[in-house]
Amino acid sequence: MQNIKISIPVLLVLAFTIGILLLPGQTNRIGIEVGKNNYINFQISYQLLLLGIAIISMISSYILNPESLKSILSIGNLSAVGEELKIFGIKKGDSWLKTGVSLSIFISLATGIFMYFQLKGQTIDYSLLKTGFLWIVLFSLTNSFAEEMIFRVGINAPLTNLLSPNNIFLISAVIFGVAHFQGMPSGIIGVILAGLLGYVLSKSIHETNGIFWAWLIHFLQDIIIIGSLYLLKSS
């Protein structure tokens, strides 16, 4: 019986992952146009479909473990003490207030440097940020929220008290990594980097008993990535 309880949320998130990978091909069916910018039109359709999957994921998590879901969907204890994780420079006894701020800065710097080299050498019209800034923020909010609901909450909430925390983090990391095979960066490197990020974000949810740090860190990366893609595809 316990194996079934463990398998159901994992299989559901895998199904959601397949759905997400198929989303780009489905956006034309919605056909929402708010202007001449094809990237904005694409993102509106994509984000609506993604939010639909996220809502289904949240409903599933509530059915499987309502108390855990209610607890996770909060700010949590922002200063909770976390376990050591050397690869991210987290020392034993470090609070998540320190860790969350540090990760927000250094992961964002790494993402920014990577995206800088994607933009370097391209003909970029940076003045487009004036008209696209609000769209970039909106898409980053919805994308980070939806993916956190699916890949973190969809795993952490149902599997709490069924598996060890580390196993929960690993499952979330692996699925999140696979889901970003076609992301930015793409391929194996993208899978590994997204997997590492997924692990530490899942860890933050477990140790703070809240979504704040995971969503914030994820949102900051999406601002950089979606903003860069907006410039690349709009210039």
Side-chain angles (χ1 to χ4, degrees):
M1 187 63 175
Q2 181 164 321
N3 288 337
I4 294 176
K5 289 182 178 179
I6 293 171
S7 299
I8 288 175
V10 174
L11 291 173
L12 282 172
V13 175
L14 285 172
F16 298 146
T17 300
I18 293 172
I20 291 171
L21 292 174
L22 295 175
L23 284 188
Q26 303 302 313
T27 55
N28 290 333
R29 295 188 177 185
I30 297 181
I32 297 176
E33 293 187 9
V34 297
K36 296 181 180 180
N37 190 300
N38 291 329
Y39 182 72
I40 290 177
N41 294 333
F42 167 81
Q43 278 294 339
I44 290 174
S45 298
Y46 179 87
Q47 294 300 328
L48 286 173
L49 291 171
L50 183 62
L51 284 172
I53 295 175
I55 290 170
I56 296 172
S57 179
M58 291 172 68
I59 293 172
S60 302
S61 297
Y62 180 80
I63 292 171
L64 294 170
N65 195 336
E67 294 305 316
S68 180
L69 178 66
K70 291 176 184 177
S71 177
I72 288 174
L73 293 181
S74 66
I75 291 177
N77 181 1
L78 301 186
S79 299
V81 176
E83 293 295 324
E84 183 179 48
L85 186 60
K86 291 182 179 180
I87 192 171
F88 279 94
I90 302 174
K91 301 175 183 177
K92 188 176 180 62
D94 280 352
S95 76
W96 265 100
L97 186 58
K98 173 187 174 182
T99 299
V101 171
S102 296
L103 291 179
S104 295
I105 294 171
F106 289 111
I107 295 177
S108 296
L109 282 174
T111 303
I113 291 170
F114 174 82
M115 295 309 300
Y116 166 78
F117 284 106
Q118 304 306 304
L119 296 175
K120 188 178 181 181
Q122 304 290 327
T123 303
I124 301 296
D125 182 4
Y126 287 95
S127 67
L128 289 169
L129 289 175
K130 295 179 182 178
T131 55
F133 179 74
L134 291 179
W135 285 115
I136 293 167
V137 172
L138 176 61
F139 297 148
S140 299
L141 281 170
T142 56
N143 193 79
S144 56
F145 171 79
E147 290 194 355
E148 286 307 308
M149 292 305 106
I150 296 166
F151 296 108
R152 241 69 62 198
V153 177
I155 293 294
N156 281 56
L159 294 182
T160 296
N161 298 324
L162 292 177
L163 289 174
S164 69
N166 192 57
N167 284 334
I168 293 174
F169 308 159
L170 284 171
I171 292 171
S172 177
V174 170
I175 300 178
F176 189 61
V178 170
H180 285 77
F181 183 79
Q182 298 176 339
M184 179 64 75
S186 61
I188 297 300
I189 293 177
V191 170
I192 293 172
L193 293 177
L196 289 171
L197 179 63
Y199 185 96
V200 76
L201 296 186
S202 183
K203 181 178 186 290
S204 78
I205 288 176
H206 172 77
E207 293 178 347
T208 65
N209 201 30
I211 194 71
F212 178 83
W213 287 118
W215 190 3
L216 175 63
I217 294 169
H218 195 156
F219 167 70
L220 293 174
Q221 309 323 302
D222 280 351
I223 282 281
I224 297 168
I225 294 170
I226 291 175
S228 298
L229 290 175
Y230 169 77
L231 288 173
L232 279 170
K233 294 179 182 296
S234 302
S235 295

